[in-house]
Amino acid sequence: MVKICCIGAGYVGGPTMAVIALKCPAIEVAVVDISVSRIAAWNSDQLPIYEPGLEEIVKQCRGKNLFFSTAVEKHVAEADIIFVSVNTPTKTRGLGAGKAADLTYWESAARMIADVSKSNKIVVEKSTVPVKTAEAIEKILTHNSKGIEYQILSNPEFLAEGTAIEDLFKPDRVLIGGRETAGGQKAVQALKEVYANWVPEDRIITTNLWSAELSKLAANAFLAQRISSVNAMSALCEATGADVSQVAHAVGKDSRIGPKFLNASVGFGGSCFQKDILNLVYICECNGLPEVANYWKQVIKVNDYQKNRFVNRVVSSMFNTVSGKKIAILGFAFKKDTGDTRETPAIDVCKGLLGDKAQLSIYDLQVTEEQIQRDLSMNKFDWDHPIHLQPASSIEMKQVSVVCDAYEATKGAHGICILTEWDEFKTLDYKKIYDNMQKPAFVFDGRNVVNVGELRKIGFIVYSIGKPLDSWLKDMPAVA
């Protein structure tokens, strides 16, 4: 029986291994992590992450050929294939601070693999890593090999949160990079055979190591660039009276461009886009390519600009101050159908409003109050370190309350900010909400989910990103 072990029980490791266990009943899959609480959650009825379809798969396979354990060394020693899916946070100090990936957790995983292994291993990079990580890992393993052979493969994940299970069932492509040696190609074939249990062969792409590593960074950079492009257009649309949805629809009809990732919004979030672009920038700078680095930096600058622009629009529309005013925040996760808040634009928007002394009432379908409090009291980049290394949210957030439904959040509010595109927000009773708000009542739609015309008929002053401004907003300066 082939044994697979995955180090890291997070957003990548958990769902990926659950699907491998489901699709490959002949393979024993162990997911290991040093976090006792995280493993306990995977073994409970309340999984540590929310992803549609995940719970059913875990319950079907857990205890049969899918195991969650803190016995890291035991399972690593027994495994034939080891997936490494640990954090690669952005460095917060030292060389490359603010851009380079911190490989501390990767290196300690590699050293532990070398310490406990008694048989040949295939080690698979699953976390997003900077180009040439495989080479560094290979050096650690071969210099501590004790006669054991290691093959390093790069198998980046291309999951979208909210649709991760569907993405795993029917991937656009599975990418496997390996050494162009006999041993390397044999290892590539071994991993290919695992995926071939359910993925058509023509969707399994094999490359050299460096191409696989760079393809992941490139894919995320291209996707983020599309969002920043349409968001840059949204500012121009507001200035000219064009409608960004109409522009995006027209542009997306060009078969060379296509319609995906052309929805204007308050900005992109998630664990990968910003981190991977910063990583790409650092690699370009290290390789003497400042012009290329500056090109990708601009994608992040436009994203930051969009969030600041949104906050400025809120404050300037409401007589240039939100001090003491209740603002309802609908949605905190970075996108619908996930509880993930990593790099969510909601953090920066909330911090911007708190800076002007607003009172925030926050409602999200999946994000806990504890998570929201932690996110709002954390420094940039701290989120990607293990919870026990994150600063405790000891700040008493007097200006923030987290409530359990949208009507409670909006009751008595001066304005509403919609920051996640949850389907529920399209079908709320906005007449009821309007009647219970302070007047004038504002809606700032950061996801373009509401029917602007209907809300204006009710009496709301509505700002929808990239849409023609109503007369109230035209009279107010765009920058507070």
Side-chain angles (χ1 to χ4, degrees):
M1 192 177 196
V2 173
K3 288 191 176 183
I4 288 177
C5 174
C6 177
I7 304 173
Y11 279 88
V12 176
T16 306
M17 295 304 119
V19 169
I20 288 176
L22 179 74
K23 298 290 189 180
C24 310
I27 294 177
E28 183 183 297
V29 181
V31 184
V32 298
D33 202 293
I34 55 172
S35 169
V36 174
S37 61
R38 180 175 280 185
I39 292 297
W42 279 110
N43 282 318
S44 75
D45 289 334
Q46 187 68 48
L47 302 187
I49 65 173
Y50 171 74
E51 193 64 50
L54 175 62
E55 191 177 335
E56 293 77 4
I57 296 171
V58 170
K59 285 182 175 170
Q60 192 176 330
C61 301
R62 195 170 56 193
K64 294 175 186 164
N65 68 326
L66 176 64
F67 304 93
F68 296 93
S69 171
T70 53
V72 179
E73 295 185 358
K74 170 186 179 292
H75 288 287
V76 166
E78 292 174 358
D80 304 296
I81 302 174
I82 302 166
F83 286 83
V84 185
S85 190
V86 297
N87 287 11
T88 50
T90 304
K91 286 182 78 173
T92 52
R93 52 174 64 89
L95 187 65
K99 285 181 287 207
D102 183 347
L103 295 182
T104 305
Y105 307 115
W106 244 104
E107 184 174 336
S108 60
R111 290 183 184 281
M112 182 269 295
I113 291 168
D115 282 347
V116 304
S117 294
K118 294 181 175 61
S119 57
N120 296 347
K121 308 283 184 205
I122 297 171
V123 179
V124 184
E125 293 177 343
K126 199 67 189 161
S127 4
T128 302
V129 290
V131 180
K132 301 280 177 149
T133 299
E135 198 169 72
I137 302 311
E138 204 170 48
K139 282 175 180 164
I140 290 168
L141 291 170
T142 50
H143 280 83
N144 295 277
S145 69
K146 297 175 284 199
I148 291 165
E149 277 187 31
Y150 297 98
Q151 292 297 334
I152 317 297
L153 301 180
S154 174
N155 174 219
E157 57 82 20
F158 296 103
L159 306 178
E161 285 185 42
T163 58
I165 300 302
E166 194 57 31
D167 295 342
L168 284 161
F169 280 175
K170 296 177 181 170
D172 290 339
R173 77 292 202 198
V174 170
L175 182 57
I176 303 171
R179 284 281 190 202
E180 289 156 320
T181 59
Q185 290 309 296
K186 191 178 169 190
V188 167
Q189 190 56 36
L191 185 55
K192 198 174 173 181
E193 283 167 12
V194 172
Y195 284 109
N197 279 283
W198 79 96
V199 180
E201 186 139 356
D202 62 350
R203 294 201 172 187
I204 304 174
I205 303 169
T206 58
T207 67
N208 69 31
L209 270 173
W210 320 138
S211 296
E213 289 182 335
L214 188 53
S215 294
K216 169 63 176 173
L217 296 185
N220 278 344
F222 277 48
L223 291 171
Q225 180 225 40
R226 283 175 71 96
I227 297 172
S228 282
S229 294
V230 78
N231 282 344
M233 283 296 161
S234 75
L236 185 58
C237 287
E238 288 168 31
T240 59
D243 183 325
V244 74
S245 299
Q246 294 174 0
V247 172
H249 179 69
V251 169
K253 282 292 181 188
D254 187 322
S255 60
R256 297 164 302 175
I257 297 172
K260 292 184 178 176
F261 276 74
L262 288 182
N263 293 323
S265 69
V266 66
F268 60 71
S271 62
C272 288
F273 281 1
Q274 175 159 300
K275 186 171 80 168
D276 287 359
I277 295 170
L278 289 169
N279 203 342
L280 195 56
V281 166
Y282 183 67
I283 292 165
C284 292
E285 288 174 346
C286 290
N287 283 282
L289 302 169
E291 293 82 3
V292 182
N294 288 334
Y295 175 80
W296 291 111
K297 269 184 198 169
Q298 200 59 36
V299 173
I300 290 175
K301 279 186 180 170
V302 169
N303 196 49
D304 290 339
Y305 162 75
Q306 188 77 342
K307 290 180 282 191
N308 292 335
R309 204 168 72 78
F310 187 85
V311 173
N312 285 340
R313 185 67 82 180
V314 174
V315 177
S316 65
S317 301
M318 299 173 75
F319 313 104
N320 232 7
T321 178
V322 290
S323 180
K325 292 175 182 172
K326 178 178 176 180
I327 309 286
I329 303 293
L330 298 187
F332 198 84
F334 86 94
K335 64 189 278 194
K336 71 173 186 176
D337 293 335
T338 178
D340 194 355
T341 62
R342 294 176 292 178
E343 292 288 358
T344 175
I347 294 173
D348 288 330
V349 171
C350 288
K351 283 184 173 180
L353 295 171
L354 290 169
D356 204 62
K357 299 195 169 68
Q359 296 285 333
L360 302 185
S361 184
I362 302 173
Y363 165 62
D364 187 277
L365 284 73
Q366 286 293 336
V367 185
T368 64
E369 178 170 7
E370 181 194 6
Q371 185 63 49
I372 289 169
Q373 298 278 10
R374 189 187 297 131
D375 286 332
L376 292 178
S377 60
M378 224 184 284
N379 295 321
K380 203 165 180 60
F381 304 128
D382 279 346
W383 58 267
D384 210 6
H385 292 271
I387 283 180
H388 66 280
L389 294 179
Q390 292 172 7
S393 53
S394 54
I395 307 164
E396 185 61 42
M397 287 282 197
K398 293 193 179 70
Q399 290 169 256
V400 178
S401 63
V402 180
V403 296
C404 57
D405 78 73
Y407 299 103
E408 177 66 25
T410 54
K411 193 175 178 183
H414 290 76
I416 299 169
C417 294
I418 301 174
L419 301 181
T420 310
E421 71 282 19
W422 288 104
D423 293 337
E424 180 187 313
F425 301 153
K426 296 175 186 175
T427 57
L428 293 171
D429 182 344
Y430 281 100
K431 177 71 174 77
K432 175 182 169 183
I433 286 172
Y434 179 81
D435 291 342
N436 287 316
M437 284 176 67
Q438 303 281 344
K439 310 295 182 297
F442 297 85
V443 171
F444 302 94
D445 185 359
R447 295 288 180 175
N448 287 346
V449 297
V450 300
N451 183 317
V452 175
E454 280 182 18
L455 262 60
R456 284 181 182 150
K457 272 186 208 159
I458 291 169
F460 283 107
I461 293 158
V462 185
Y463 166 69
S464 208
I465 283 186
K467 301 293 178 93
L469 302 175
D470 68 21
S471 55
W472 178 289
L473 296 165
K474 282 179 186 165
D475 293 340
M476 296 286 179
V479 179

